[in-house]
Amino acid sequence: METANFDIVQGDSFVLVVRYTDSNKQPIDLHGYTAEFQVKDQPGGKVVCATATSSSGIVIDEVNGKLTVTLTPAQTKKFTVPRAAYQLQINSGTIKTTIATGWFQVEKGLI
């Protein structure tokens, strides 16, 4: 699992690229997988700030084990100040795996 933290201004676009690899740094084939990226006010929190899925906002490059998450300005505008937590999970249909987690350090936008 990858852990990374980001600084963001509410209302900015955000793109995250994650490569899912094995212990030898070889890409894991993601054919048949779906993905979900969720941002909340805190880990396990009840306030959902933004969601992206493989049908809306996440592109999966199956062969290369690469996931590209894109959030719009309208989505990041809902991030909680001063921090928001995120989690990226993949789902094979039988097994869910968290492949990335972390925090957004959120600054209130001026516009």
Side-chain angles (χ1 to χ4, degrees), residues 9-82:
V9 175
Q10 284 178 321
D12 283 358
S13 298
F14 178 76
V15 177
L16 172 66
V17 177
V18 176
R19 296 190 194 299
Y20 190 45
T21 59
D22 63 20
S23 59
N24 295 318
K25 303 291 184 199
Q26 295 302 308
I28 294 174
D29 191 319
L30 295 175
H31 278 94
Y33 280 76
T34 60
E36 182 177 20
F37 182 86
Q38 201 165 68
V39 180
K40 293 186 174 186
D41 60 330
Q42 60 185 335
K46 295 184 192 267
V47 177
V48 177
C49 304
T51 300
T53 66
S54 45
S55 59
S56 177
I58 300 176
V59 175
I60 301 175
D61 177 351
E62 292 107 347
V63 174
N64 295 307
K66 183 172 102 175
L67 296 99
T68 303
V69 179
T70 303
L71 298 178
T72 67
Q75 288 173 301
T76 68
K77 193 169 191 163
K78 296 177 184 174
F79 284 13
T80 52
V81 174

Side-chain angles (χ1 to χ4, degrees), residues 77-93:
K77 193 169 191 163
K78 296 177 184 174
F79 284 13
T80 52
V81 174
R83 291 181 8 149
Y86 75 86
Q87 181 173 347
L88 174 61
Q89 287 187 324
I90 56 173
N91 187 337
S92 70

